[in-house]
Amino acid sequence: MLLTDRLVYVHMPKTGGTFVTSVLERLHQPSPNRLQGLWHRARRHLGRPWAEAPGKYGRLRNVEPKHGTCHDIPASHAGLPVLSCMRGPWEWYVSQYEFSWWKRIGQYDPNDPSTPAGWAIERALPAFVKERPHFPDIGFAEFVELCDRAADIYNGETGTDFGLFTHGFVRYFYRDPPAVLRRLSDRYLASAEHAGDRFDVTFLSTERLNADLQRALVRFGYEPDDVAFVGQLGKILPMGIGRREDQRWERYYDEALKASVRQRDRFVFRMFPDYDEASGAMGASA
């Protein structure tokens, strides 16, 4: 999670957060004058992070948990605008699969906080692995099955049948996730109550991230000339891991698997209708 004097950035995994983080760190670097430079070098010598040095746009703090939800926003920043990224469900599952973090769960510090998706997958994984001696060499359809099993851990608590993306999205951006999940319906989505149950978040589309981020930053008070570079930036990948241009999401799905994801994450598709078919084909991302 990134905290600034102007906004809070909530980093839901695999939606473009590495790109946004890089841009905000660049904007919040110390101003290039001699006094600031000396102050900056002194802080580095003392082991203090450069991102805390004041610059033109004030301080930026990259705080733990890195992938904290809206519930983790500290009271000191609770009144600021919240920025996050939204990615289509079909693309999100492919990105999770190819990034392969789920193969490395045993390497993580067990004391580190888990994301909603990570927490559920960690609990579904032992039984899943016992049934598949070839793990972690599983295909994409098997990975989606793992995600469905993880989602069913939550579904058992809420009496629902939603996919893992839906559970993660609701737990990131709604004030009372279990209550919202139990009430999800077309009528509820159309109600004013639904809007009040969600935190006030400006969503950037991962598929249009350069343009969306540039516009949002101007809206939140960053000068247009200072954010002009955002429109020209190429991909910035977590750990340098990304997909090739030929690894488009459509290649991972047959019609039955695509229909299954559409059904399980149906209300996310209804909240963001551009992600059904048309926007999912915008192109592969990290």
Side-chain angles (χ1 to χ4, degrees):
M1 180 179 297
L2 299 178
L3 305 179
T4 78
D5 297 335
R6 295 166 184 262
L7 60 87
V8 174
Y9 179 69
V10 172
H11 186 175
M12 184 176 176
K14 308 311 298 169
T15 60
T18 301
F19 183 93
V20 177
T21 298
S22 177
V23 167
L24 287 173
E25 287 179 341
R26 177 168 169 176
L27 288 168
H28 286 265
Q29 289 183 65
S31 301
N33 62 57
R34 184 173 180 274
L35 185 60
Q36 286 270 16
L38 290 172
W39 189 87
H40 170 53
R41 286 195 292 274
R43 287 176 66 86
R44 287 185 62 122
H45 179 71
L46 295 171
R48 300 296 300 275
W50 68 265
E52 292 190 5
K56 179 177 181 178
Y57 293 107
R59 298 175 63 200
L60 178 146
R61 287 191 291 149
N62 198 334
V63 301
E64 295 296 334
K66 175 182 178 180
H67 295 297
T69 74
C70 287
H71 300 271
D72 297 309
I73 297 173
S76 59
H77 289 69
L80 292 178
V82 179
L83 195 66
S84 193
C85 298
M86 180 63 188
R87 191 175 205 166
W90 286 315
E91 184 82 71
W92 182 82
Y93 286 105
V94 173
S95 185
Q96 295 277 6
Y97 172 70
E98 289 293 351
F99 193 64
S100 298
W101 64 269
W102 40 275
K103 296 181 180 180
R104 305 186 292 272
I105 283 178
Q107 301 174 22
Y108 300 152
D109 183 343
N111 296 315
D112 286 346
S114 296
T115 65
W119 180 89
I121 285 180
E122 286 175 10
R123 280 146 186 80
L125 199 55
F128 184 84
V129 169
K130 284 183 180 179
E131 298 170 10
R132 288 166 174 78
H134 56 285
F135 185 89
D137 298 321
I138 59 174
F140 178 68
E142 291 177 291
F143 174 71
V144 174
E145 181 184 345
L146 171 61
C147 290
D148 285 345
R149 291 194 187 189
D152 285 342
I153 294 173
Y154 287 128
N155 285 326
E157 299 171 354
T158 56
T160 54
D161 66 343
F162 301 133
L164 190 59
F165 186 93
T166 298
H167 284 286
F169 180 81
V170 170
R171 281 167 170 78
Y172 259 88
F173 302 115
Y174 286 82
R175 303 178 193 280
D176 187 348
V180 168
L181 289 160
R182 293 186 185 102
R183 298 175 63 195
L184 267 183
S185 66
D186 289 329
R187 178 178 295 181
Y188 173 64
L189 289 181
S191 71
E193 198 171 4
H194 166 253
D197 288 343
R198 193 165 82 185
F199 289 94
D200 186 9
V201 179
T202 296
F203 288 103
L204 313 174
S205 168
T206 303
E207 292 78 7
R208 300 183 297 268
L209 190 50
N210 295 65
D212 280 8
L213 178 58
Q214 188 172 350
R215 282 194 295 268
L217 291 173
V218 172
R219 172 184 166 191
F220 294 133
Y222 295 80
E223 294 182 13
D225 287 348
D226 290 341
V227 301
F229 73 95
V230 178
Q232 306 303 317
L233 281 180
K235 294 178 180 178
I236 300 175
L237 305 173
M239 300 171 58
I241 300 173
R243 304 206 317 266
R244 302 186 308 270
E245 290 299 323
D246 64 321
Q247 290 179 301
R248 297 175 63 87
W249 73 261
E250 299 96 326
R251 299 187 61 179
Y252 292 76
Y253 291 86
D254 58 24
E255 287 304 313
L257 186 58
K258 188 165 67 170
S260 175
V261 170
R262 182 192 281 111
Q263 171 62 20
R264 299 269 280 186
D265 293 309
R266 59 194 177 277
F267 288 113
V268 173
F269 282 113
R270 291 173 194 171
M271 282 186 273
F272 299 90
D274 286 350
Y275 282 112
D276 204 349
E277 295 299 348
S279 77
M282 284 182 178
S285 301

